[in-house]
Structures are given as structure tokens and as C-alpha cells.
């Protein structure tokens, strides 16, 4: 059977796939180097578009020239940085800098490149789970909060007050008067800090599984003098606080939970009459075939396999994964007791769907 398959192979398709796959490997290595450039501040140093040698760039960034020169070579080969051979200078074109620097005012795509090396470093541990089952616990991911904070810091946090709060009718007025707000899976609490500044009469609480993130969030809140903002380390698996909050939000957090079904039911129970639940989660389909043309489809499945799903399984959970999809998300919300579900998409955020429910 296999020999017959080999004899009938389309050589044109074979060559096309091999070429495409080589391109994927080349691009993957380029993404690794882009993560290095982002974290080292090299893209930011080149944001002005001016030509400079590797020596000058190394001096400006305080880095070792030999490493900077090799990184620049990778960026030239990857068609990200341009070089003039006669003068030995390099520059980052302005139209590239707009997508790769922290100061551009646009979404910084370089921030997303950090996922590849960080999650790649977990390969052996996740591979062991392929063979033995189980999962890799959240505590084994020392840096995951950093790319996640940069990610949400671009797509969610700056839009919380002016764009996201208005998705929920009457919420601005209620926040101005003073209500109880909870963010589950809050990370370092950046979204809550935006809200706590804008609505000083409301009270904000954040829960997260990772003690280090909670400690950092509490420190930042105290440093900013926000006495209406607090954080606590909480495992949401068996969490219950009936009728304690007026607004609960979960920002890219439900799919990571050990028992998302129990958490969603607990959210419904914890809302007071007239309360609001905002769930922001990955905007994919529950059917993989429908995600082929999604601009971040393969990336989201990879992040899910290497983090979201395995973290849930490590807790003895269901391993829902980031690619659970809008269809399953809506079904689980209805099972949890939410009847009217509005799903919003925001023009600046191609990654997430915004689910709004009211009791």
C-alpha cells in the first residue's frame, strides 16, 4: 500500500510542500531571533530608522558587539533589517518599526515572538506528558507572565475604560457610583489597575493561581496608592462566593482552568442580581478545519498544547485548551446558567472574542 502511494505521489506537490516547510523552519528561527531583539531592546534602539553600524548599535544598547552583529545578520537574512554593504550600516525601515517597537503606538508584534523560545524550553517536559499523560504545572513556567502581560497590555488594558466598559450597558454609571468588581485569572493585575484609577469609588479584587504574580500586583497597587484594589492567590477550581460581586471578568483565563465548567457556574452564582460577566477568550472555531485560514490559528494551537492545556491537565483538569472555540464557549456559558450572551469583536483585536452576559 505504501509503495503504491509512493509511486503515485505528485512530485510538484511534494516539492511545493518541502519548499514551504523549509520556509517555515527559516521563519521559525527568525522569530526566535526577533524575540532576542525585542527583549534586548535592539528593535527599540533602531526605531528611528537611521543607519548605524553594529559597533554603534552595540554601544547604544550596552550589548556585546559580536552578538549584535550576528543578530543583525539574521535580521538581514530574514528581510526585517536592511544593510548597506559598502558602509557596513544597518537600519530598520520605518514601516517595519511600526510593528516591532514599543514606542510606535501600534500593536508590537515582536512581543508575541517571546512565546516561541519560552514554550520551546518546555519541550522535554511536555513531551514526557505525551508519553505518560498528566501535565506541566503553572509553577514550571517562570516567565509566562511576562509575554502575557505584554500581550494583554496591548490588546486589552489600554482599551478597558473607553472601549470595553461601554460594551456593557450602564456599567460606566454603576462603576462611577461604586460597585464590587472581581477579575479571575488576573495575572499581574494591569487591567484592574486601569479600572481602579478610572473609578476610585468602586472596589476591585483580583484572583490568580500564581503567588509571584499576585505579590507583584499587590506591590504595584500599594506603590500607586490604590486602596480600592487588592489581589489574592486563589485556586478557582472549588471557589465559591455567592452573590458577592456586581461585575466579574475573566480575560483569557477560562480556558486555562482545571474545571472551566465549575468556574463558570461559580461565576454565575457569585454575581448579584443585575450583575455582569465579561469573558474575553480566544476567537477560534471549535472545528480545527475552520481555523486553517485564521491568522493566528496554528500559533494558538501551539501555545495551547505547550501551556494552556497541559497546565489544566497538571491540576487533574479537563485540558480544555486555548482552541476550545466560540461554539463550545457559548454552550458552556449556557450550561452555567447564562441565557443571553452577546459576542463582540473589536477592530484592534483579531485574537479575542468578547462575551458579555448579564443576570
Amino acid at each position: 500500500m505504501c509503495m503504491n502511494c509512493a509511486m503515485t505521489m505528485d512530485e510538484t506537490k511534494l516539492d511545493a510542500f518541502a519548499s514551504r516547510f523549509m520556509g517555515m523552519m527559516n521563519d521559525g528561527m527568525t522569530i526566535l531571533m526577533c524575540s532576542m531583539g525585542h527583549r534586548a531592546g535592539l528593535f527599540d534602539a533602531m526605531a528611528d530608522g537611521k543607519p548605524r553600524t553594529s559597533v554603534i548599535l552595540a554601544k547604544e544598547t550596552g550589548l556585546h558587539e559580536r552578538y549584535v552583529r550576528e543578530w543583525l545578520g539574521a535580521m538581514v537574512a530574514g528581510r526585517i533589517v536592511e544593510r548597506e554593504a559598502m558602509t557596513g550600516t544597518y537600519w530598520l525601515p520605518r514601516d517595519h518599526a511600526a510593528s516591532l517597537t514599543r514606542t510606535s503606538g501600534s500593536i508590537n508584534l515582536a512581543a508575541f515572538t517571546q512565546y516561541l523560545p519560552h514554550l520551546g524550553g518546555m519541550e522535554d517536559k511536555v513531551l514526557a506528558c505525551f508519553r505518560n499523560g498528566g501535565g506541566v504545572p503553572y509553577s514550571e513556567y517562570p516567565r509566562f507572565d511576562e509575554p502575557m502581560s505584554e500581550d494583554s497590555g496591548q490588546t486589552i488594558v489600554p482599551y478597558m475604560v473607553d472601549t470595553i466598559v461601554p460594551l456593557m450597558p450602564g456599567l460606566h454609571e454603576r462603576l462611577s457610583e461604586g460597585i464590587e468588581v472581581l477579575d479571575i485569572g488576573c495575572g499581574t493585575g494591569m487591567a484592574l489597575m486601569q479600572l481602579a484609577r478610572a473609578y476610585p469609588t468602586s472596589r476591585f479584587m483580583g484572583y490568580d493561581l500564581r503567588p509571584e504574580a499576585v505579590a507583584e500586583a499587590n506591590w504595584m497597587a500599594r506603590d500607586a496608592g490604590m486602596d480600592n484594589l487588592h489581589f489574592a492567590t486563589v485556586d478557582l477550581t472549588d471557589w465559591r462566593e455567592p452573590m458577592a460581586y456586581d461585575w466579574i471578568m475573566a480575560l483569557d483565563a477560562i480556558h486555562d482552568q482545571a474545571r472551566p465548567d465549575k468556574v463558570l457556574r461559580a461565576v454565575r452564582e457569585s454575581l448579584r442580581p443585575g450583575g455582569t460577566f465579561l469573558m474575553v477568550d480566544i476567537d477560534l472555531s471549535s472545528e480545527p478545519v475552520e481555523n486553517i485560514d485564521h491568522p493566528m490559528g496554528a500559533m494558538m494551537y501551539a501555545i495551547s498544547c505547550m501551556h494552556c492545556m497541559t497546565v489544566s491537565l497538571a491540576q487533574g483538569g479537563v485540558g480544555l485548551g486555548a482552541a476550545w472555540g466560540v461554539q463550545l464557549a457559548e454552550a458552556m456559558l449556557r450550561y452555567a446558567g447564562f441565557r443571553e450572551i452577546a459576542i463582540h469583536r473589536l477592530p484592534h483585536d483579531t485574537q479575542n472574542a468578547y462575551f458579555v452576559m448579564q443576570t
Side-chain angles (χ1 to χ4, degrees), residues 7 35 117 139 206 233 290 344-345:
M7 291 173 63
S35 177
S139 59
T233 303
E290 295 177 1
H344 303 271
R345 274 88 177 181

Side-chain angles (χ1 to χ4, degrees), residues 109 112-113 115-116 119 144 147-148 151-152 155-156 252 255-256 280-285 288 291-292 294-310 320-325 349-353:
L109 297 178
F112 296 97
T113 65
Y115 287 116
L116 188 148
L119 296 179
F144 197 76
M148 276 297 297
D151 184 343
S152 63
T155 55
I156 296 177
D252 280 327
H255 66 258
D256 289 330
V280 180
D281 222 295
I282 306 302
D283 190 13
L284 288 174
S285 171
N291 296 322
I292 291 174
H294 191 285
M296 300 177 77
M299 176 178 170
M300 288 302 169
Y301 278 106
I303 293 174
S304 179
C305 183
M306 300 300 292
H307 179 268
C308 311
M309 182 189 74
T310 193
L320 191 61
W324 58 322
D349 186 358
T350 59
Q351 177 178 325
N352 294 305

Side-chain angles (χ1 to χ4, degrees), residues 22 36 83 85 128 156 170 174 179 192 224 243 277 285 287-288 319 337:
M22 284 294 295
M36 297 286 283
R83 170 177 163 83
I156 296 177
R174 298 187 70 197
I179 58 174
L192 282 181
M243 298 184 64
F277 178 38
S285 171
E287 169 50 57

Side-chain angles (χ1 to χ4, degrees), residues 3-206:
M3 290 189 65
N4 290 337
C5 290
M7 291 173 63
T8 59
M9 273 194 298
D10 186 322
E11 293 294 330
T12 302
K13 290 182 178 180
L14 187 154
D15 291 343
F17 175 77
S19 177
R20 173 174 168 263
F21 197 81
M22 284 294 295
M24 290 167 60
M25 290 193 290
N26 204 37
D27 290 343
M29 290 300 181
T30 302
I31 290 298
L32 172 62
M33 297 307 290
C34 285
S35 177
M36 297 286 283
H38 172 73
R39 296 182 66 193
L42 287 159
F43 286 133
D44 293 332
M46 301 180 76
D48 58 13
K50 295 179 181 178
R52 44 177 53 85
T53 65
S54 60
V55 173
I56 292 173
L57 181 57
K59 186 176 293 186
E60 289 176 348
T61 55
L63 302 171
H64 286 272
E65 187 275 339
R66 183 65 189 93
Y67 284 91
V68 170
R69 187 171 10 127
E70 203 73 359
W71 177 81
L72 285 166
M75 292 299 97
V76 171
R79 297 182 175 87
I80 292 171
V81 166
E82 295 187 8
R83 170 177 163 83
E84 171 54 60
M86 292 290 293
T87 60
T89 56
Y90 305 81
W91 65 94
L92 181 65
R94 291 291 183 88
D95 54 346
H96 295 191
S99 298
L100 297 173
T101 58
R102 294 176 174 88
T103 56
S104 65
S106 303
I107 296 294
N108 182 5
L109 297 178
F112 296 97
T113 65
Q114 298 173 92
Y115 287 116
L116 188 148
H118 180 57
L119 296 179
M122 305 302 294
E123 181 182 15
D124 287 346
K125 293 179 180 180
V126 177
L127 183 59
C129 297
F130 270 73
R131 292 170 173 150
N132 306 318
V136 181
Y138 195 34
S139 59
E140 294 289 318
Y141 293 82
R143 280 195 59 249
F144 197 76
D145 284 338
E146 293 178 35
M148 276 297 297
S149 292
E150 282 204 71
D151 184 343
S152 63
Q154 298 185 97
T155 55
I156 296 177
V157 174
Y159 300 90
M160 281 303 305
V161 175
D162 295 332
T163 303
I164 296 174
V165 166
L167 295 176
M168 292 154 278
L171 184 59
H172 168 73
E173 291 75 15
R174 298 187 70 197
L175 285 164
S176 299
E177 294 169 1
I179 58 174
E180 303 289 338
V181 180
L182 173 66
D183 182 4
I184 55 175
C186 65
T188 53
M190 294 170 62
L192 282 181
M193 289 181 192
Q194 286 284 95
L195 292 165
R197 287 191 190 97
Y199 301 104
T201 56
S202 285
R203 295 155 297 282
F204 300 87
M205 173 62 75

